[in-house]
Amino acid sequence: MMNALDCDVIVAGGGLAGAAAGLALKAAGLAPLVLDAGPAPQPGAAFDGRAYSTPPGSVNFWRGVGVWPAIEAEAEPMRDILVSDGRVSEGASPLFLHFDHREIAGAGFGCMVEDRHLRPAAFAALGDALRHGARVVSVEAGQGRAVARLADGSALSARLVVAADGRESPLRAAAGIGRIAWDYPQAGMVSAVSFAEPHHGVAHELFLPAGPFAILPLRGNRASLVWTERRAEAARIHALPDAEYLAELEARFGDFLGPLALEGGRWTYPLSFSLAHEYVAPRVALLGDAAHAVHPIAGQGLNLGLRDAAALAEVLAEAARRGEDIGDIAVLRRYQQWRRFDSAALAFSMDALNRLFSNDVAPVRAIRDLGLGLVNRAPGLKRMFMRAASGLGGAAPKLMRGEAV
């Protein structure tokens, strides 16, 4: 029988959202323990093609939790973003959006950071607050504590358990929290390439008939590609040898940066939508994909998880300062009230954008092209979109604004 608590908060899930939660809680003066079901990553991992869009709000977050100094030298700034209804066979639409970093004050659009740099830095910053090879299989909510049962038969206790265990979250299901969910007829394809010509820090978002195709600048004249295709076509392309895979890329990408070469691995995964009915239950809070899984059309999945982590840490820190039980459902509902509307609004917006642009119906295409052109000529609207993309819009938590919790 356990009497003392093992920590203040147990975070179940050792992905980047779970690591971010642990770091935000540490920054808030709490004692978290992040449990990662996987093994410890090997140091010095080779580039595998994965990278993350990191807008200014997320840069503030990583700086506030002590990670940014370790990765800043590896980040590639995004200086401009070009959005077009692009069909390479016809050339990109002349009606496009050009977001120029000089049009907004502050840190512009942020940067791109490779997974091989960000993940080890986040894990290192957690230190003793991270345990690998520990999978939570159940949570029992009791008076004043939650008990997390692990796969090895052991148990840990804390005031609160944070479920950051992915979009199919077993802990969400065990807590009796339902969700809205559907599968897209699309798959995401991720890879990285190098160019013959410099990219000058310009990110491109091409809307092709099968879905969006993002070209995101990395250091060293490389780019991360996030490419949406119909599932059967994605499976066919993913199975191709590298040379034929590159030919498929070039058919969509064009040759404006010269010949392409693959860098790192290739990934493909089915796309789906998920939004939890509630973000909290007795002694349990959902975070990241366990709460909301969105279409990758704007690369906001991880950034939404960071906003969750920052908001939860802020709510719990304020409750602790007032002498409240940080796992009490009344405290947790403040977190839910803060985050659910914001994440739901973004999730449904991304879904609507995907449905609008992932088709080739001529009248629809004409209307959306006209819309892109109108927004491009309206400075006020452009600044509003740029502010939203920065991660600083709305009720941004303190860590996202560069403030201490």
Side-chain angles (χ1 to χ4, degrees):
M1 176 112 180
M2 292 171 293
N3 295 313
L5 297 173
D6 295 291
C7 57
D8 292 326
V9 182
I10 293 167
V11 180
L16 281 172
L23 290 168
L25 292 166
K26 281 185 68 176
L30 297 169
L33 179 60
V34 178
L35 302 179
D36 177 17
Q42 296 300 310
F47 179 53
D48 63 7
R50 292 181 295 172
Y52 305 99
S53 171
T54 309
S58 296
V59 172
N60 287 341
F61 178 93
W62 293 120
R63 182 179 287 114
V65 299
V67 170
W68 191 247
I71 60 175
E72 184 174 11
E74 303 297 340
E76 175 66 17
M78 286 190 286
R79 295 176 175 84
D80 293 87
I81 302 175
L82 294 178
V83 182
S84 61
D85 196 357
R87 285 165 33 127
V88 175
S89 61
E90 300 174 3
S93 166
L95 298 172
F96 62 91
L97 280 170
H98 177 199
F99 295 121
D100 187 328
H101 71 283
R102 293 168 295 187
E103 296 180 49
I104 54 173
F109 304 114
C111 55
M112 291 295 298
V113 179
E114 296 172 26
D115 182 84
R116 63 170 170 165
H117 301 308
L118 180 55
R119 193 177 300 265
F123 284 176
L126 282 167
D128 293 340
L130 172 64
R131 185 183 301 180
H132 294 289
R135 182 168 63 87
V136 178
V137 295
S138 68
V139 175
E140 300 166 13
Q143 185 66 35
R145 72 172 66 216
V147 177
R149 305 279 175 192
L150 308 188
D152 64 6
S154 64
L156 296 167
S157 66
R159 296 286 182 206
L160 172 67
V161 173
V162 173
D165 52 346
R167 71 180 61 201
E168 300 304 323
S169 175
L171 294 186
R172 179 191 60 226
I177 299 175
R179 61 172 175 158
I180 304 166
W182 57 76
D183 292 331
Y184 291 106
Q186 300 164 311
M189 303 173 68
V190 177
S191 58
V193 295
S194 59
F195 311 113
E197 303 294 332
H199 54 56
H200 300 297
V202 178
H204 298 262
E205 183 88 24
L206 307 178
F207 288 108
L208 304 177
F213 186 107
I215 305 162
L216 306 168
L218 300 175
R219 287 183 65 79
N221 215 33
R222 297 170 301 136
S224 172
L225 306 183
V226 184
W227 172 14
T228 303
E229 270 292 349
R230 300 293 175 183
R231 290 195 179 192
E233 181 68 355
R236 181 191 71 80
I237 294 170
H238 186 69
L240 294 173
D242 283 354
E244 294 177 41
Y245 183 89
L246 271 174
E248 295 282 352
L249 279 179
E250 289 171 341
R252 294 158 177 82
F253 192 109
D255 59 0
F256 66 98
L257 290 175
L260 309 178
L262 277 172
E263 297 278 334
R266 295 191 264 152
W267 305 76
T268 186
Y269 55 95
L271 299 181
S272 60
F273 178 100
S274 177
L275 182 66
H277 293 161
E278 305 284 338
Y279 283 11
V280 300
R283 302 275 164 200
V284 174
L286 307 184
L287 182 143
D289 282 0
H292 44 69
V294 304
H295 195 282
I297 191 169
Q300 291 301 306
L302 176 58
N303 298 314
L304 271 178
L306 300 189
R307 288 172 72 95
D308 292 345
L312 180 63
E314 193 170 328
V315 167
L316 298 187
E318 290 175 355
R321 284 193 283 266
R322 288 193 291 264
E324 297 178 276
D325 177 355
I326 62 171
D328 185 80
I329 193 67
V331 172
L332 300 182
R333 282 181 179 139
R334 295 173 205 156
Y335 161 69
Q336 173 172 278
Q337 183 177 11
W338 190 350
R339 291 298 306 137
R340 194 170 187 278
F341 177 80
D342 174 61
S343 53
L346 189 139
F348 285 115
S349 296
M350 296 304 98
D351 177 74
L353 280 174
N354 178 59
R355 294 177 190 275
L356 175 64
F357 283 95
S358 296
N359 67 72
D360 204 28
V361 178
V364 175
R365 187 179 177 205
I367 292 169
R368 71 196 185 205
D369 280 1
L370 180 61
L372 288 175
L374 289 173
V375 172
N376 196 53
R377 293 190 292 273
L381 276 176
K382 284 179 67 178
R383 282 193 292 271
M384 182 185 72
F385 283 122
M386 287 188 282
R387 179 74 177 172
S390 73
L392 299 172
K398 289 181 179 178
L399 280 171
M400 309 302 286
R401 303 197 306 263
E403 300 174 16
V405 182

PDB file of all heavy atoms in Angstrom, residues 21-49:
ATOM      1  N   ALA A  21       4.851  18.190 -22.247  1.00  0.00           N
ATOM      2  CA  ALA A  21       4.059  18.305 -21.025  1.00  0.00           C
ATOM      3  C   ALA A  21       4.952  18.215 -19.797  1.00  0.00           C
ATOM      4  O   ALA A  21       4.831  19.006 -18.855  1.00  0.00           O
ATOM      5  CB  ALA A  21       2.981  17.231 -20.993  1.00  0.00           C
ATOM      6  N   GLY A  22       5.857  17.242 -19.783  1.00  0.00           N
ATOM      7  CA  GLY A  22       6.766  17.099 -18.651  1.00  0.00           C
ATOM      8  C   GLY A  22       7.629  18.331 -18.450  1.00  0.00           C
ATOM      9  O   GLY A  22       7.819  18.806 -17.326  1.00  0.00           O
ATOM     10  N   LEU A  23       8.138  18.872 -19.543  1.00  0.00           N
ATOM     11  CA  LEU A  23       9.002  20.055 -19.453  1.00  0.00           C
ATOM     12  C   LEU A  23       8.226  21.277 -18.986  1.00  0.00           C
ATOM     13  O   LEU A  23       8.725  22.079 -18.190  1.00  0.00           O
ATOM     14  CB  LEU A  23       9.648  20.315 -20.805  1.00  0.00           C
ATOM     15  CG  LEU A  23      10.711  19.293 -21.228  1.00  0.00           C
ATOM     16  CD1 LEU A  23      11.071  19.468 -22.693  1.00  0.00           C
ATOM     17  CD2 LEU A  23      11.956  19.408 -20.350  1.00  0.00           C
ATOM     18  N   ALA A  24       6.997  21.455 -19.480  1.00  0.00           N
ATOM     19  CA  ALA A  24       6.181  22.594 -19.060  1.00  0.00           C
ATOM     20  C   ALA A  24       5.844  22.492 -17.573  1.00  0.00           C
ATOM     21  O   ALA A  24       5.863  23.495 -16.848  1.00  0.00           O
ATOM     22  CB  ALA A  24       4.907  22.670 -19.894  1.00  0.00           C
ATOM     23  N   LEU A  25       5.546  21.282 -17.108  1.00  0.00           N
ATOM     24  CA  LEU A  25       5.242  21.093 -15.691  1.00  0.00           C
ATOM     25  C   LEU A  25       6.472  21.360 -14.828  1.00  0.00           C
ATOM     26  O   LEU A  25       6.367  21.961 -13.747  1.00  0.00           O
ATOM     27  CB  LEU A  25       4.719  19.669 -15.460  1.00  0.00           C
ATOM     28  CG  LEU A  25       3.346  19.376 -16.080  1.00  0.00           C
ATOM     29  CD1 LEU A  25       3.068  17.890 -16.108  1.00  0.00           C
ATOM     30  CD2 LEU A  25       2.244  20.108 -15.324  1.00  0.00           C
ATOM     31  N   LYS A  26       7.650  20.937 -15.292  1.00  0.00           N
ATOM     32  CA  LYS A  26       8.884  21.260 -14.570  1.00  0.00           C
ATOM     33  C   LYS A  26       9.084  22.774 -14.496  1.00  0.00           C
ATOM     34  O   LYS A  26       9.439  23.326 -13.445  1.00  0.00           O
ATOM     35  CB  LYS A  26      10.093  20.618 -15.266  1.00  0.00           C
ATOM     36  CG  LYS A  26      10.299  19.145 -14.988  1.00  0.00           C
ATOM     37  CD  LYS A  26      11.580  18.620 -15.621  1.00  0.00           C
ATOM     38  CE  LYS A  26      12.827  19.195 -14.974  1.00  0.00           C
ATOM     39  NZ  LYS A  26      14.078  18.598 -15.535  1.00  0.00           N
ATOM     40  N   ALA A  27       8.859  23.451 -15.624  1.00  0.00           N
ATOM     41  CA  ALA A  27       9.019  24.904 -15.659  1.00  0.00           C
ATOM     42  C   ALA A  27       8.039  25.600 -14.729  1.00  0.00           C
ATOM     43  O   ALA A  27       8.304  26.715 -14.257  1.00  0.00           O
ATOM     44  CB  ALA A  27       8.840  25.416 -17.092  1.00  0.00           C
ATOM     45  N   ALA A  28       6.902  24.940 -14.458  1.00  0.00           N
ATOM     46  CA  ALA A  28       5.889  25.502 -13.571  1.00  0.00           C
ATOM     47  C   ALA A  28       6.146  25.178 -12.107  1.00  0.00           C
ATOM     48  O   ALA A  28       5.343  25.528 -11.241  1.00  0.00           O
ATOM     49  CB  ALA A  28       4.510  24.994 -13.983  1.00  0.00           C
ATOM     50  N   GLY A  29       7.256  24.494 -11.805  1.00  0.00           N
ATOM     51  CA  GLY A  29       7.609  24.187 -10.431  1.00  0.00           C
ATOM     52  C   GLY A  29       6.996  22.915  -9.889  1.00  0.00           C
ATOM     53  O   GLY A  29       7.079  22.648  -8.684  1.00  0.00           O
ATOM     54  N   LEU A  30       6.396  22.095 -10.753  1.00  0.00           N
ATOM     55  CA  LEU A  30       5.821  20.821 -10.338  1.00  0.00           C
ATOM     56  C   LEU A  30       6.813  19.691 -10.593  1.00  0.00           C
ATOM     57  O   LEU A  30       7.824  19.872 -11.271  1.00  0.00           O
ATOM     58  CB  LEU A  30       4.514  20.576 -11.085  1.00  0.00           C
ATOM     59  CG  LEU A  30       3.404  21.600 -10.800  1.00  0.00           C
ATOM     60  CD1 LEU A  30       2.255  21.437 -11.783  1.00  0.00           C
ATOM     61  CD2 LEU A  30       2.901  21.473  -9.369  1.00  0.00           C
ATOM     62  N   ALA A  31       6.502  18.521 -10.040  1.00  0.00           N
ATOM     63  CA  ALA A  31       7.379  17.352 -10.185  1.00  0.00           C
ATOM     64  C   ALA A  31       6.693  16.316 -11.063  1.00  0.00           C
ATOM     65  O   ALA A  31       5.884  15.524 -10.573  1.00  0.00           O
ATOM     66  CB  ALA A  31       7.701  16.766  -8.814  1.00  0.00           C
ATOM     67  N   PRO A  32       6.981  16.314 -12.376  1.00  0.00           N
ATOM     68  CA  PRO A  32       6.361  15.331 -13.271  1.00  0.00           C
ATOM     69  C   PRO A  32       7.250  14.089 -13.427  1.00  0.00           C
ATOM     70  O   PRO A  32       8.450  14.105 -13.118  1.00  0.00           O
ATOM     71  CB  PRO A  32       6.288  16.082 -14.597  1.00  0.00           C
ATOM     72  CG  PRO A  32       7.531  16.930 -14.572  1.00  0.00           C
ATOM     73  CD  PRO A  32       7.761  17.310 -13.131  1.00  0.00           C
ATOM     74  N   LEU A  33       6.638  13.024 -13.927  1.00  0.00           N
ATOM     75  CA  LEU A  33       7.377  11.836 -14.352  1.00  0.00           C
ATOM     76  C   LEU A  33       6.788  11.412 -15.688  1.00  0.00           C
ATOM     77  O   LEU A  33       5.608  11.071 -15.772  1.00  0.00           O
ATOM     78  CB  LEU A  33       7.257  10.705 -13.338  1.00  0.00           C
ATOM     79  CG  LEU A  33       7.974   9.397 -13.701  1.00  0.00           C
ATOM     80  CD1 LEU A  33       9.472   9.626 -13.874  1.00  0.00           C
ATOM     81  CD2 LEU A  33       7.704   8.327 -12.654  1.00  0.00           C
ATOM     82  N   VAL A  34       7.603  11.465 -16.745  1.00  0.00           N
ATOM     83  CA  VAL A  34       7.163  11.096 -18.089  1.00  0.00           C
ATOM     84  C   VAL A  34       7.521   9.638 -18.324  1.00  0.00           C
ATOM     85  O   VAL A  34       8.699   9.252 -18.201  1.00  0.00           O
ATOM     86  CB  VAL A  34       7.824  11.991 -19.156  1.00  0.00           C
ATOM     87  CG1 VAL A  34       7.376  11.558 -20.556  1.00  0.00           C
ATOM     88  CG2 VAL A  34       7.466  13.450 -18.916  1.00  0.00           C
ATOM     89  N   LEU A  35       6.534   8.833 -18.668  1.00  0.00           N
ATOM     90  CA  LEU A  35       6.727   7.402 -18.904  1.00  0.00           C
ATOM     91  C   LEU A  35       6.631   7.118 -20.398  1.00  0.00           C
ATOM     92  O   LEU A  35       5.581   7.321 -21.011  1.00  0.00           O
ATOM     93  CB  LEU A  35       5.686   6.590 -18.135  1.00  0.00           C
ATOM     94  CG  LEU A  35       5.669   6.813 -16.607  1.00  0.00           C
ATOM     95  CD1 LEU A  35       4.581   5.965 -15.966  1.00  0.00           C
ATOM     96  CD2 LEU A  35       7.028   6.507 -15.990  1.00  0.00           C
ATOM     97  N   ASP A  36       7.738   6.683 -20.973  1.00  0.00           N
ATOM     98  CA  ASP A  36       7.826   6.393 -22.401  1.00  0.00           C
ATOM     99  C   ASP A  36       7.826   4.885 -22.585  1.00  0.00           C
ATOM    100  O   ASP A  36       8.702   4.189 -22.046  1.00  0.00           O
ATOM    101  CB  ASP A  36       9.112   7.011 -22.960  1.00  0.00           C
ATOM    102  CG  ASP A  36       9.337   6.704 -24.428  1.00  0.00           C
ATOM    103  OD1 ASP A  36       8.369   6.290 -25.103  1.00  0.00           O
ATOM    104  OD2 ASP A  36      10.470   6.874 -24.910  1.00  0.00           O
ATOM    105  N   ALA A  37       6.866   4.370 -23.337  1.00  0.00           N
ATOM    106  CA  ALA A  37       6.772   2.917 -23.529  1.00  0.00           C
ATOM    107  C   ALA A  37       7.930   2.356 -24.343  1.00  0.00           C
ATOM    108  O   ALA A  37       8.258   1.172 -24.238  1.00  0.00           O
ATOM    109  CB  ALA A  37       5.449   2.570 -24.207  1.00  0.00           C
ATOM    110  N   GLY A  38       8.573   3.184 -25.151  1.00  0.00           N
ATOM    111  CA  GLY A  38       9.652   2.714 -26.016  1.00  0.00           C
ATOM    112  C   GLY A  38      11.008   2.733 -25.329  1.00  0.00           C
ATOM    113  O   GLY A  38      11.166   3.256 -24.228  1.00  0.00           O
ATOM    114  N   PRO A  39      11.993   2.160 -26.007  1.00  0.00           N
ATOM    115  CA  PRO A  39      13.357   2.179 -25.463  1.00  0.00           C
ATOM    116  C   PRO A  39      13.992   3.556 -25.613  1.00  0.00           C
ATOM    117  O   PRO A  39      13.503   4.391 -26.385  1.00  0.00           O
ATOM    118  CB  PRO A  39      14.086   1.141 -26.323  1.00  0.00           C
ATOM    119  CG  PRO A  39      13.364   1.191 -27.637  1.00  0.00           C
ATOM    120  CD  PRO A  39      11.922   1.466 -27.302  1.00  0.00           C
ATOM    121  N   ALA A  40      15.058   3.791 -24.894  1.00  0.00           N
ATOM    122  CA  ALA A  40      15.786   5.052 -25.024  1.00  0.00           C
ATOM    123  C   ALA A  40      16.364   5.160 -26.432  1.00  0.00           C
ATOM    124  O   ALA A  40      16.885   4.181 -26.980  1.00  0.00           O
ATOM    125  CB  ALA A  40      16.917   5.123 -24.002  1.00  0.00           C
ATOM    126  N   PRO A  41      16.252   6.322 -27.080  1.00  0.00           N
ATOM    127  CA  PRO A  41      16.795   6.477 -28.436  1.00  0.00           C
ATOM    128  C   PRO A  41      18.316   6.402 -28.429  1.00  0.00           C
ATOM    129  O   PRO A  41      18.972   6.759 -27.448  1.00  0.00           O
ATOM    130  CB  PRO A  41      16.310   7.870 -28.847  1.00  0.00           C
ATOM    131  CG  PRO A  41      16.091   8.595 -27.553  1.00  0.00           C
ATOM    132  CD  PRO A  41      15.648   7.559 -26.564  1.00  0.00           C
ATOM    133  N   GLN A  42      18.858   5.925 -29.527  1.00  0.00           N
ATOM    134  CA  GLN A  42      20.304   5.848 -29.652  1.00  0.00           C
ATOM    135  C   GLN A  42      20.874   7.225 -29.967  1.00  0.00           C
ATOM    136  O   GLN A  42      20.321   7.955 -30.785  1.00  0.00           O
ATOM    137  CB  GLN A  42      20.691   4.864 -30.761  1.00  0.00           C
ATOM    138  CG  GLN A  42      20.291   3.427 -30.477  1.00  0.00           C
ATOM    139  CD  GLN A  42      20.939   2.887 -29.216  1.00  0.00           C
ATOM    140  OE1 GLN A  42      22.151   2.996 -29.031  1.00  0.00           O
ATOM    141  NE2 GLN A  42      20.134   2.313 -28.320  1.00  0.00           N
ATOM    142  N   PRO A  43      21.962   7.610 -29.321  1.00  0.00           N
ATOM    143  CA  PRO A  43      22.556   8.929 -29.605  1.00  0.00           C
ATOM    144  C   PRO A  43      23.124   8.987 -31.016  1.00  0.00           C
ATOM    145  O   PRO A  43      23.527   7.968 -31.591  1.00  0.00           O
ATOM    146  CB  PRO A  43      23.662   9.055 -28.551  1.00  0.00           C
ATOM    147  CG  PRO A  43      23.984   7.646 -28.171  1.00  0.00           C
ATOM    148  CD  PRO A  43      22.709   6.874 -28.290  1.00  0.00           C
ATOM    149  N   GLY A  44      23.144  10.194 -31.570  1.00  0.00           N
ATOM    150  CA  GLY A  44      23.750  10.391 -32.888  1.00  0.00           C
ATOM    151  C   GLY A  44      22.976   9.756 -34.023  1.00  0.00           C
ATOM    152  O   GLY A  44      23.559   9.315 -35.016  1.00  0.00           O
ATOM    153  N   ALA A  45      21.644   9.724 -33.912  1.00  0.00           N
ATOM    154  CA  ALA A  45      20.826   9.102 -34.962  1.00  0.00           C
ATOM    155  C   ALA A  45      20.965   9.868 -36.279  1.00  0.00           C
ATOM    156  O   ALA A  45      21.090  11.093 -36.299  1.00  0.00           O
ATOM    157  CB  ALA A  45      19.361   9.066 -34.534  1.00  0.00           C
ATOM    158  N   ALA A  46      20.939   9.122 -37.377  1.00  0.00           N
ATOM    159  CA  ALA A  46      21.017   9.741 -38.698  1.00  0.00           C
ATOM    160  C   ALA A  46      19.700  10.432 -39.029  1.00  0.00           C
ATOM    161  O   ALA A  46      18.650  10.120 -38.460  1.00  0.00           O
ATOM    162  CB  ALA A  46      21.331   8.677 -39.749  1.00  0.00           C
ATOM    163  N   PHE A  47      19.749  11.380 -39.945  1.00  0.00           N
ATOM    164  CA  PHE A  47      18.547  12.082 -40.383  1.00  0.00           C
ATOM    165  C   PHE A  47      17.591  11.092 -41.032  1.00  0.00           C
ATOM    166  O   PHE A  47      17.971  10.341 -41.927  1.00  0.00           O
ATOM    167  CB  PHE A  47      18.929  13.188 -41.363  1.00  0.00           C
ATOM    168  CG  PHE A  47      17.756  13.961 -41.885  1.00  0.00           C
ATOM    169  CD1 PHE A  47      16.843  14.539 -41.024  1.00  0.00           C
ATOM    170  CD2 PHE A  47      17.571  14.133 -43.249  1.00  0.00           C
ATOM    171  CE1 PHE A  47      15.759  15.262 -41.496  1.00  0.00           C
ATOM    172  CE2 PHE A  47      16.503  14.855 -43.735  1.00  0.00           C
ATOM    173  CZ  PHE A  47      15.596  15.426 -42.850  1.00  0.00           C
ATOM    174  N   ASP A  48      16.341  11.086 -40.562  1.00  0.00           N
ATOM    175  CA  ASP A  48      15.362  10.139 -41.097  1.00  0.00           C
ATOM    176  C   ASP A  48      14.262  10.809 -41.912  1.00  0.00           C
ATOM    177  O   ASP A  48      13.289  10.174 -42.289  1.00  0.00           O
ATOM    178  CB  ASP A  48      14.755   9.290 -39.979  1.00  0.00           C
ATOM    179  CG  ASP A  48      13.961  10.116 -38.966  1.00  0.00           C
ATOM    180  OD1 ASP A  48      13.766  11.334 -39.207  1.00  0.00           O
ATOM    181  OD2 ASP A  48      13.529   9.551 -37.948  1.00  0.00           O
ATOM    182  N   GLY A  49      14.380  12.124 -42.163  1.00  0.00           N
ATOM    183  CA  GLY A  49      13.411  12.824 -42.991  1.00  0.00           C
ATOM    184  C   GLY A  49      12.344  13.563 -42.220  1.00  0.00           C
ATOM    185  O   GLY A  49      11.637  14.395 -42.788  1.00  0.00           O
TER     186      GLY A  49
END
